[in-house]
Amino acid sequence: MAAHHFCCCLPIRLGAFLISLFQFVIAGFIAAALWYEVSQWHGDIPTKTKVTYICRAVYYTIFSLSSFFGFVGTLKRSASLLAQYASYLGWAVFVQIVLDALYLWAFFTVPRDTFIKDCINGSTDQNVINACNNFNKWGKGYVIASVAVGLLVQAYAWYIVNGYSHKLDSEIERKASVPMDSGYKYAAAGRASTEALTGPSYNYPYADQAHSFGGDAPRYDPPSRV
């Protein structure tokens, strides 16, 4: 069933506008951060880590561009752009599941000692060491929760944008079914309705002044004013 409102009571167009705007900004920021992280790699980086980061960077780059076109579509009320954006969001949910599974696999298969060592990265700051140890302790729950919330948000975004796309399609079909000129149109009168005006005159009984109704009455003489 297509959505009709955003967050229960807000206009669905506002929802599509906010979703496309935030996804464009956030996905662009994540893509930039991932590409920056990749550019800063030095030394021996595990292959699965490289593959995970590069795949996610490419995904978020494409995601940001698609969200930009969706943002333009909401401003222009373009059903075609929004349909493409909704279609991409539908595929993005599936791709997000695959990437999140790959990310979780890479995160949980790295030995904890190696993870803490890479996190500390030779730092002697006790705060950094404590932060890395705490993340190793509590980070699993945070990672799983962030993945789950991200998937739910992504699915809801597709639901809203897809609903607005269907709404625009319905409006276009409704306008196409209504005649463009539904006002009054002049219809020329038929021959029968004009014969009384253009036909010859005929004499008939009591048509003359002497035999007409009131013909014998005295002529009306209005009183003169004093």
Side-chain angles (χ1 to χ4, degrees):
M1 184 177 65
H4 298 284
H5 295 89
F6 173 64
C7 291
C8 299
C9 59
L10 297 177
I12 192 172
R13 185 185 182 187
L14 176 62
F17 172 81
L18 294 177
I19 287 171
S20 59
L21 176 61
F22 286 140
Q23 286 189 336
F24 167 63
V25 174
I26 294 174
F29 176 79
I30 295 175
L34 289 172
W35 285 120
Y36 177 79
E37 182 70 20
V38 170
S39 67
Q40 297 300 312
W41 281 346
H42 301 288
D44 187 16
I45 304 298
T47 302
K48 58 185 176 183
T49 302
K50 292 181 180 179
V51 172
T52 300
Y53 271 78
I54 292 175
C55 288
R56 290 174 70 88
V58 171
Y59 166 77
Y60 280 107
T61 300
I62 299 175
F63 193 10
S64 178
L65 293 175
S66 176
S67 300
F68 173 74
F69 289 115
F71 174 72
V72 174
T74 57
L75 293 179
K76 298 177 61 177
R77 291 176 58 87
S78 173
S80 59
L81 287 177
L82 284 168
Q84 294 176 4
Y85 181 42
S87 177
Y88 177 79
L89 287 179
W91 282 101
V93 173
F94 174 76
V95 175
Q96 186 74 25
I97 293 174
V98 175
L99 290 178
D100 286 341
L102 183 63
Y103 173 69
L104 292 175
W105 170 75
F107 179 80
F108 285 104
T109 55
V110 174
R112 295 298 92 187
D113 294 339
T114 303
F115 176 81
I116 295 174
K117 181 180 178 181
D118 293 339
C119 178
I120 296 175
N121 195 23
S123 176
T124 58
D125 189 348
Q126 189 61 37
N127 293 327
V128 174
I129 296 174
N130 292 336
C132 291
N133 286 320
N134 290 332
F135 185 79
N136 179 57
K137 183 179 180 180
W138 304 103
K140 295 180 181 180
Y142 169 78
V143 169
I144 294 175
S146 63
V147 167
V149 171
L151 284 176
L152 290 176
V153 171
Q154 187 77 348
Y156 184 69
W158 169 82
Y159 177 69
I160 293 298
V161 174
N162 186 61
Y164 184 51
S165 175
H166 283 298
K167 181 176 182 293
L168 288 180
D169 288 336
S170 299
E171 291 179 358
I172 293 174
E173 292 177 358
R174 186 167 59 251
K175 290 180 180 179
S177 63
V178 177
M180 295 299 294
D181 186 8
S182 58
Y184 173 78
K185 292 184 178 180
Y186 170 75
R191 180 175 178 271
S193 63
T194 59
E195 285 182 348
L197 300 177
T198 60
S201 59
Y202 296 96
N203 291 325
Y204 56 92
Y206 308 107
D208 58 317
Q209 180 68 22
H211 295 86
S212 63
F213 179 77
D216 296 335
R219 187 173 64 86
Y220 174 71
D221 187 11
S224 60
R225 295 183 179 180
V226 179

